[in-house]
Amino acid sequence: MVHTEQAGRAEDGTAVRRQRRTAERRLHRTGYLAAGSSALLGSLALVWTVTGRGYPFGTADPDGAGSLLWRVPAEVGAPIFAVLLLGAAVTALATTGPHAVRLPGAARLALLGYGWLAVAVLLLVVPDVQVLTYLGYAPMLIGGLPFGWPPVDYAELFTLALGYKVVSVATGLLLARTVLAWQFRTAGACPSCGRRAGGEGWTSAKSAARWGRWAVGIAAVIPVLYAVTRFAWAIGIPLGITDGFLREMHRTGLVWAGAGLAAFGVVGAVLTLGLVQRWGERFPGWMVGLAGRRVPVKLAVVPATGVAVAITAAGLALYGQPELLAELGGGSLTLIPMALWPVWGIALGAATLGYHLRRRGACPHC
């Protein structure tokens, strides 16, 4: 009997060590991917700098009028990107793997500051309204492709600049995970989940459930406000615009594109509510084959994180346009809902974090 219990404990210990090694390898892999992707983008930026050709942002981007980079010339933007991204690659390598650096005091803060600066540029400066717009149009574009509708040139829609923006977001997320893991590790917390001895505070499941509800409420209301104006235009009500402008949008069909984005926003609002509802944890009964099963945490967290980044970046890009601020000063109903996009994105990110903290289980790493 004693031998059996000892064997059981040994097997449990082996399983825990195996899980810990797997979690550690996953963190290392993420860091190396972040370093590789940053180095690739940085090398491209270096080529743009040396040759004077290929810079895809700013005035070179035909769809970049709504971007924070619109007024940044290539001779300024290219070298800045080269330095920032190559530095980000070095940062990722320095904070990844079994030989990650350990720095004291000010040096640690400086490295963290640089890493988070690079993350902010990749996630919030490079992407713009175009990324969010295409996320909203994606169901219509994909569903209508076999039928030749809408009648658009997909080569003009999916440009090289858009590809760089998507890669930038992916790189930023990888780098964010890498920097966060190193921040946790150097603060004496678990590098995987951030838990430490002595309690979890605001990150506990109970606390996250409380403040997560507020975040979900804000993140669900704002897209509905945006949708109200677009649906009003679709049915012929000139809410916040002139009759002439409404007729022009109906003539060109632009009003239906707005209605499509509004529908995307409403669906997003409903899905956001799932972050605090029971059906967000277990599939509802009408989902044949999945009814009653647990909803995988990543199934909600991964797409919600991507959308939160896209919304926040789009909102910040709009604020980079002085003409928008001028119109907002006049109380335009057309733009006020869009002015709330940064709040929407931040609230959705907080709601997603609350959902993750509330549903995460035991950490295999710690």
Side-chain angles (χ1 to χ4, degrees):
M1 183 68 178
V2 173
H3 290 296
T4 303
E5 291 178 354
Q6 290 177 342
R9 286 195 294 269
E11 289 179 1
D12 291 341
T14 301
V16 168
R17 287 192 295 272
R18 186 182 302 113
Q19 290 178 334
R20 186 171 297 166
R21 286 195 297 269
T22 300
E24 192 73 33
R25 284 196 296 268
R26 188 179 296 115
L27 286 175
H28 295 169
R29 186 163 54 245
T30 299
Y32 294 138
L33 285 173
S37 186
S38 299
L40 176 61
L41 290 176
S43 299
L44 285 172
L46 189 60
V47 172
W48 303 335
T49 302
V50 173
T51 63
R53 296 192 301 271
Y55 181 72
F57 307 120
T59 55
D61 182 3
D63 300 307
S67 170
L68 289 173
L69 299 174
W70 179 245
R71 294 172 177 83
V72 180
E75 56 270 20
V76 175
I80 289 177
F81 273 118
V83 172
L84 181 71
L85 291 168
L86 291 175
V90 173
T91 299
L93 286 176
T95 56
T96 299
H99 305 294
V101 297
R102 288 186 175 274
L103 301 175
R108 173 179 177 271
L109 292 178
L111 187 60
L112 285 174
Y114 186 90
W116 286 119
L117 172 64
V119 169
V121 171
L122 289 168
L123 293 183
L124 302 178
V125 176
V126 176
D128 53 25
V129 180
Q130 185 187 22
V131 176
L132 179 63
T133 301
Y134 282 11
L135 276 177
Y137 287 157
M140 180 174 62
L141 293 172
I142 296 173
L145 182 60
F147 309 101
W149 186 89
V152 295
D153 185 349
Y154 284 79
E156 292 182 0
L157 290 179
F158 298 100
T159 61
L160 186 61
L162 177 61
Y164 281 126
K165 294 168 189 176
V166 173
V167 173
S168 173
V169 171
T171 303
L173 292 173
L174 290 170
L175 184 61
R177 185 67 184 97
T178 301
V179 174
L180 185 62
W182 187 77
Q183 180 175 333
F184 285 155
R185 181 183 289 112
T186 54
C190 170
S192 183
C193 70
R195 293 182 177 100
R196 68 176 73 198
E200 300 178 66
W202 67 272
T203 63
S204 68
K206 184 178 180 180
S207 180
R210 184 170 57 253
W211 56 257
R213 291 191 191 96
W214 285 97
V216 165
I218 296 171
V221 167
I222 294 176
V224 173
L225 295 177
Y226 171 83
V228 166
T229 59
R230 272 56 184 177
F231 286 146
W233 300 347
I235 62 176
I237 300 175
L239 186 60
I241 59 176
T242 64
D243 290 334
F245 186 45
L246 181 61
R247 287 194 296 270
E248 178 64 18
M249 285 201 297
H250 272 275
R251 185 187 66 80
T252 60
L254 185 61
V255 68
W256 304 116
L261 283 178
F264 174 75
V266 171
V267 171
V270 173
L271 292 176
T272 299
L273 293 177
L275 297 176
V276 291
Q277 298 294 324
R278 177 173 172 76
W279 56 265
E281 299 182 19
R282 291 192 178 275
F283 290 107
W286 56 267
M287 298 190 70
V288 180
L290 294 174
R293 295 188 180 184
R294 287 177 58 84
V295 176
V297 177
K298 290 183 179 180
L299 184 64
V301 169
V302 173
T305 300
V307 172
V309 168
I311 293 169
T312 307
L316 293 177
L318 290 175
Y319 273 94
Q321 303 176 56
E323 59 274 14
L324 171 67
L325 298 179
E327 291 190 47
L328 287 176
S332 170
L333 287 177
T334 307
L335 292 172
I336 286 177
M338 299 170 65
L340 295 174
W341 281 1
V343 179
W344 177 17
I346 293 171
L348 179 57
T352 305
L353 176 61
Y355 178 86
H356 165 72
L357 293 175
R358 185 167 55 84
R359 292 203 58 207
R360 65 178 177 175
C363 175
H365 192 278
C366 68

